[in-house]
Amino acid sequence: MFHKPVKLFYCLGLYCLLTLQSNAQVTTRPFENLPYSRYGLGEEMLGINPALKSLASTTAAFADEYIINTENPASYASIRNFTYEAGLEGRRRTIASANASYQTGTLNFNYLTMAIPMGKYAGMAIGYRPYTKISYSLFDTLQSQIGPTAISYNGNGSTNYFFVGLAGKYQGLSIGANLGYIFGNINENSWYKSNSTAYYVNNSEFLKLKSIGGIYIKTGLQYELTLKKDYTLSFGAQASLKQNLKTTLSEYWIAHPFYASDTAGSDTSYALKNVQNKLSLPGAYSFGVQLKKGDQWALGLQYQTTQWSQYNNYRYHDSVAQNSHRISIGAYYTPDALNIFKYWKRVSYRAGLFTGKDFVQINGVQNTYYGASLGLSLPFRRSNDRILTSFEMGKIGNTQIGNIQQNFYKLSIGVSLNDRSWFIKRKYD
């Protein structure tokens, strides 16, 4: 029979599995509108647990025996218990252009992960999470030779990531890697509609349907240096080199009668069906350092860069920058992790700050962003299991330079269950 933590993790997993233009304006839609998900593979979901999010995602040098750090697979060698994690993320944002603004939001499944210690010096992890999300609805207007024209851009879809990771440790050095598979579907649609009564010109629709799949590998290493007393200094690096995914593309150009209110009389003037090609994901690299005192506190700093000049999506070139980068700092404090009489002394308090330049570049201007994070790790009273929470807020883009500005708020909650009984020999069944 399964133990209770295993049953809970199994049920969570089953539930989850079943379950610009520069002057573009935002339209109101019943789904989450993410204007910048129009570029690249969409908006990255960053499916890591809230404990790491509340540290501003300073993951490169972070390792813990109770928390799974899937961003740096070298950390699996530090896991000491059979650990199960799952989480949700709620997002709310205010989106504004120069002429309009509105609010949008949604609740998403965030991650499902399991870690298995393999003796004192090795560990492995298995996980599934959303990788990117595409969900946008934008419109623009222009004055052309045939009079005023309205243009709408719509897209939806997602990519997902399933992986298995291994790590080993020798003295203070840990090395690990994730072998994963990215897969998903993306649908994009553009409409050009004439608003002129002087010219009866067919409306045009451009439709792209993409299926994506391919192997994705991420590597990492960490080195822990013991200082005097209870202090340790850890260095970490995580990297994913430029990698190619397979794509299947179908593309249609459709002419719709000017006078028709529906698609009756429409004609497909161009069709490209099931063309096999590749999509090149850029290399990404992170470097971090963390100073830690026992189980009481830690302070981490991290730099991350992604080489978007390497990005290539068949014959389409998005408005992406040459490089993106991010600087983050995070810290946590636990008053007394072993105090069984005063609960709030066992709680871990976390906070972080981050800033950087995004991969989206409009009119030659690269988007900048900044934000802050807070969180709590709430232990169960009689075990090492935890409820993990984080709250993030920040800003990306700027309406003063003709772009879309987003003020975002993210609330994440997850559960981390630790089970030692897998490694304890029972005397009785």
Side-chain angles (χ1 to χ4, degrees), residues 61 69-70 78 96 98 134 147 157 211-212 239 250-251 258 274 276 280 302 348 405 415 418:
N69 176 10
T70 57
S78 297
I134 299 89
S211 177
I212 299 170
S250 294
E251 186 174 3
F258 173 84
N274 299 324
Q276 304 291 323
S280 297
Q302 180 169 311
S348 294
Q405 177 179 305
V415 59
N418 294 265

Side-chain angles (χ1 to χ4, degrees), residues 26 62 112 120 217 219 260 272 344 347 370 384 403 411 419:
V26 182
F62 181 92
L112 183 68
K120 294 182 179 181
I217 299 173
T219 61
L272 183 71
W344 291 103
V347 173
Y370 59 85
N384 290 316
N403 290 356
L411 179 63
D419 190 358

Side-chain angles (χ1 to χ4, degrees), residues 7-28:
K7 288 182 179 179
L8 176 59
F9 186 77
Y10 176 80
C11 292
L12 283 170
L14 184 61
Y15 170 78
C16 295
L17 290 175
L18 293 177
T19 0
L20 264 167
Q21 301 284 354
S22 64
N23 61 336
Q25 302 175 21
V26 182
T27 61
T28 303

Side-chain angles (χ1 to χ4, degrees), residues 241-305:
L241 303 178
K242 175 185 175 182
Q243 297 170 67
N244 294 325
L245 306 180
K246 294 181 180 179
T247 64
T248 301
L249 172 68
S250 294
E251 186 174 3
Y252 303 91
W253 298 0
I254 305 172
H256 300 286
F258 173 84
Y259 52 82
S261 59
D262 53 29
T263 58
S266 299
D267 179 53
T268 301
S269 57
Y270 174 81
L272 183 71
K273 297 182 180 181
N274 299 324
V275 175
Q276 304 291 323
N277 216 287
K278 67 179 182 180
L279 181 150
S280 297
L281 290 181
Y285 311 91
S286 300
F287 308 93
V289 60
Q290 183 186 74
L291 178 64
K292 182 178 179 181
K293 182 184 178 183
D295 295 326
Q296 190 172 38
W297 61 263
L299 174 66
L301 177 67
Q302 180 169 311
Y303 173 78
Q304 175 181 328
T305 182

Side-chain angles (χ1 to χ4, degrees), residues 80-96:
R80 292 293 172 262
N81 299 317
F82 205 106
T83 304
Y84 326 89
E85 293 186 350
L88 302 172
E89 180 184 76
R91 306 193 293 184
R92 185 74 174 174
R93 52 185 90 205
T94 300
I95 301 177

